[in-house]
Amino acid sequence: MIKVASRLTQLTTVGLNRSNQVSTALPVVSLFSGAGGLDLAIERADSEPLAPHDLGSGLARVAVATDYNGPALQTLAQNFPHTKSINGDIRLLETDQLLASAGLSQSDPVLVVGGPPCTPFSKSGFWLEQKRESRDPNASLLDEYVRVVRETRPEAFILENVQGLTYKTHKEQFERLLKGLTELGYNPQWKVLLAADYGVPQLRRRVFVVGRRDGRVFEFPKPTHSGWSEHTRKFDSDLIPHVTSQSAFAGLVEPTEPDEYVDGQYGDLAAEIPPGQNYLWHTTRYGGRDHFEWRSRYWTFLLRLDPNRPSTTLQAQPGPYVGPFHWDNVTTEQGAERARRLRVPEILRLMSFPDDFIVPTKRADVQRQLGNAVPLELGKAVARALLTQLGYIPMEKPVPLSIPLSLSA
């Protein structure tokens, strides 16, 4: 308790004036930053849950961010004007350069955070032999994360990735990651978390690895929400129900977008699929046409959202017939009924991002950057738990059950 009290006293002026944020906030180093989903979560760690317009107190700030993807860093720069950014290959980036760009020295960063590119560990691409055998060269980026932690010596770290990193296929890389962090004294803890269990209207599973320099065990945040998912029909009735897609979209009045129709070879079939169903509707076991063989496609093929449930995982690079698509049909200029793709404001809501988050102008870039991002409320839950256990945030008050399910303002 002495530790907590002393740190809170030291930080009493933090957040009183957000214009002082850059000079007073806890410095954070962000690796593999992408568009800044985890960064946003860190900077809003002490904001209210499901309050997208609550900016937090300014307790922490991302001092420097780096990524190989230039367009993603441009998005980050628009949303984090105070953050220094470095575009390039982390394997060629010296830690001293990373720190110096933000005016930091070793041990200055309170946190190192980031999610190495998930492609090597994702289910997507498992048809490639090198991925099935875990020989993807990009998997070495996990070692670069360990290197930066070793050379910066932050008070703690947060690493995020797809659930696939924990699969038997990638056991060697995952165990090497944990061993490297353990040898540094950080006592890494890991857990797969379901985003919907923390107020995100999306059934998205991500693994988080968290460690503290003092070696104390990090305790993961307990779920605040519950509901049935694709893996279980059990849920905790004492928790807040999962946020549904329909409630997440409440209040949105967005214009149509170019190429939002699901047309072409499967246009008619997609339009006939009911909410919550996929291509299996058009097999002998359901009520549609007898067009597909049972379980001959990926689950997301022609998948429609169920308005009464969270969305399935949003894909970063979906094919033209990969959902989820909206549950409502739209009418084309020619009068045909068609399923439609999710619009950008809807994608932001399903990621629990604020409506005013600045995104690229090209739809493909939006899908790629947000599909690769950490959902805000999930990242906030982990960051808030860590900063609380480190003594920078007072012990959390219980989450009120009266929290509105809508993500609108």
Side-chain angles (χ1 to χ4, degrees):
M1 293 298 294
I2 296 176
K3 178 182 178 183
V4 174
S6 63
R7 285 186 174 171
L8 291 177
T9 300
Q10 179 184 0
L11 295 168
T12 51
T13 60
V14 174
L16 295 179
N17 186 340
R18 288 191 62 83
S19 64
N20 294 328
Q21 179 180 355
V22 173
S23 60
T24 62
L26 305 172
V28 177
V29 170
S30 172
L31 311 176
F32 314 104
S33 309
L38 188 53
D39 304 58
L40 195 65
I42 294 296
E43 295 201 350
R44 300 190 181 195
D46 62 346
S47 65
E48 287 296 317
L50 292 182
H53 296 284
D54 185 345
L55 304 182
S57 69
L59 174 66
R61 55 111 181 167
V62 177
V64 58
T66 182
D67 198 283
Y68 186 78
N69 187 284
L73 267 191
Q74 291 175 12
T75 300
L76 184 143
Q78 289 181 290
N79 292 281
F80 301 83
H82 55 273
T83 298
K84 303 291 184 182
S85 61
I86 300 177
N87 180 208
D89 189 338
I90 194 172
R91 291 169 291 193
L92 305 177
L93 177 63
E94 294 184 0
T95 304
D96 287 344
Q97 176 189 353
L98 182 69
L99 293 173
S101 67
L104 301 174
S105 301
Q106 188 183 57
S107 299
D108 282 349
V110 171
L111 300 179
V112 166
V113 303
C118 62
T119 306
F121 316 112
S122 171
K123 289 182 180 179
S124 300
F126 254 47
W127 60 85
L128 298 176
E129 183 178 358
Q130 66 174 12
K131 289 184 183 292
R132 290 197 305 272
E133 297 180 0
S134 201
R135 291 188 284 108
D136 194 306
N138 289 328
S140 65
L141 296 177
L142 293 173
D143 300 320
E144 296 301 320
Y145 188 99
V146 175
R147 172 182 66 85
V148 174
V149 170
R150 180 176 64 249
E151 295 174 355
T152 57
R153 298 297 297 169
E155 195 168 342
F157 69 83
I158 299 174
L159 184 148
E160 170 273 338
N161 215 293
V162 293
Q163 182 180 5
L165 176 59
T166 67
Y167 293 169
K168 183 187 302 183
T169 309
H170 307 297
K171 180 179 179 181
E172 181 180 346
Q173 282 89 345
F174 192 44
E175 289 186 345
R176 187 172 72 245
L177 168 70
L178 297 177
K179 181 175 183 290
L181 295 168
T182 299
E183 289 175 347
L184 297 178
Y186 280 85
N187 191 14
Q189 308 295 309
W190 67 272
K191 191 172 186 178
V192 175
L193 303 179
L194 177 63
D197 287 348
Y198 299 90
V200 178
Q202 188 180 163
L203 297 170
R204 186 185 189 100
R205 285 178 167 79
R206 307 293 282 192
V207 62
F208 285 83
V209 184
V210 184
R212 297 173 50 159
R213 189 175 61 201
D214 60 15
R216 295 188 180 184
V217 174
F218 169 72
E219 297 182 7
F220 281 91
K222 294 180 180 180
T224 54
H225 295 64
S226 184
W228 61 273
S229 69
E230 65 271 30
H231 296 301
T232 178
R233 294 301 177 96
K234 297 179 180 180
F235 61 93
D236 189 340
S237 59
D238 291 332
L239 299 180
I240 306 170
H242 281 165
V243 179
T244 68
S245 300
Q246 188 171 51
S247 63
F249 294 166
L252 280 180
V253 181
E254 73 274 23
T256 60
E257 296 179 1
D259 303 318
E260 69 176 13
Y261 303 146
V262 181
D263 215 337
Q265 181 181 2
Y266 301 111
D268 290 337
L269 294 174
E272 296 170 7
I273 295 175
Q277 299 288 339
N278 62 1
Y279 78 97
L280 293 174
W281 180 255
H282 292 300
T283 65
T284 56
R285 301 195 189 189
Y286 283 94
R289 308 186 200 181
D290 182 9
H291 188 90
F292 298 105
E293 294 294 327
W294 181 254
R295 292 185 177 176
S296 59
R297 306 278 179 143
Y298 281 110
W299 176 258
T300 52
F301 190 74
L302 301 185
L303 179 64
R304 307 290 297 268
L305 281 180
D306 182 340
N308 299 313
R309 299 193 60 229
S311 169
T312 54
T313 300
L314 298 180
Q315 305 290 316
Q317 293 178 290
Y321 301 110
V322 172
F325 304 123
H326 200 277
W327 59 84
D328 281 339
N329 283 338
V330 290
T331 304
T332 68
E333 293 81 358
Q334 292 74 34
E337 288 287 309
R338 288 291 181 263
R340 74 164 174 85
R341 309 182 198 285
L342 296 176
R343 295 164 183 164
V344 171
E346 294 167 340
I347 295 175
L348 285 170
R349 290 284 182 89
L350 294 180
M351 292 297 294
S352 64
F353 273 42
D355 291 341
D356 59 358
F357 191 82
I358 302 170
V359 296
T361 55
K362 292 183 178 180
R363 164 58 190 253
D365 290 337
V366 174
Q367 186 87 35
R368 184 179 303 109
Q369 292 179 19
L370 295 184
N372 282 324
V374 179
L376 175 57
E377 291 300 327
L378 176 60
K380 276 172 55 179
V382 175
R384 182 166 54 243
L386 179 57
L387 290 173
T388 299
Q389 292 169 42
L390 290 174
Y392 291 112
I393 296 177
M395 294 299 292
E396 294 181 350
K397 297 179 293 185
V399 177
L401 293 179
S402 60
I403 286 179
L405 296 185
S406 172
L407 295 178
S408 58

